[in-house]
Amino acid sequence: MTSDSAPPFVAAPPGWRLAFADPEERDITVAPIVGWQPLPAGAPSCLVESVVEPVVLWDNVGEPFISPALEFIEGNPQISVHQVLAPGFEVRDLPSGWKIIEYGDQ
């Protein structure tokens, strides 16, 4: 976690991913979900009316980190969640002319 005050998270089963849409770059970046962070009632989430927040692995070479997805979106206001991908599912409704980037393949 990147915040000292953030509550712990529960590990996600393998294969869950989060797709982030970036209209400025015209792409969707897919990153692995490594956990689910329980949220208190009324707490903000990147998912509409969710009681959990996805925790994402950013496996940058030399500087990997794990953060709640909302933290990433708040730091990048042009980006939004496009889709939560269960194991075996792929991105749907890709806007025309956009590309999909599996995080780590950049």
Side-chain angles (χ1 to χ4, degrees), residues 4-5 15 18 26 28 34-35 37-38 45-46 51 53 59-60 65 68 72 75 77 83 86 91 93 95 100 102:
D4 293 334
S5 63
L18 196 58
R26 299 178 53 91
I28 293 182
V34 295
Q37 184 180 51
S45 173
C46 74
V51 296
E53 177 68 14
D59 62 346
N60 303 316
F65 66 96
F72 173 70
Q83 186 179 356
V91 173
D93 299 331
I100 297 173
E102 289 286 340

Side-chain angles (χ1 to χ4, degrees), residues 20 22 24 67-80:
F20 294 97
D22 184 342
E24 290 179 9
S67 72
L70 182 61
E71 199 171 282
F72 173 70
I73 290 172
E74 288 175 338
N76 298 279
Q78 79 280 8
I79 292 176
S80 63

Side-chain angles (χ1 to χ4, degrees), residues 8-90:
F9 65 89
V10 177
W16 284 85
R17 299 173 298 150
L18 196 58
F20 294 97
D22 184 342
E24 290 179 9
E25 297 295 325
R26 299 178 53 91
D27 65 29
I28 293 182
T29 299
V30 180
I33 296 174
V34 295
W36 298 97
Q37 184 180 51
L39 297 173
S45 173
C46 74
L47 305 175
V48 177
E49 297 183 27
S50 180
V51 296
V52 294
E53 177 68 14
V55 178
V56 177
L57 168 64
W58 301 103
D59 62 346
N60 303 316
V61 174
E63 194 179 333
F65 66 96
I66 296 172
S67 72
L70 182 61
E71 199 171 282
F72 173 70
I73 290 172
E74 288 175 338
N76 298 279
Q78 79 280 8
I79 292 176
S80 63
V81 171
H82 177 76
Q83 186 179 356
V84 176
L85 301 166
F89 285 82
E90 298 302 325

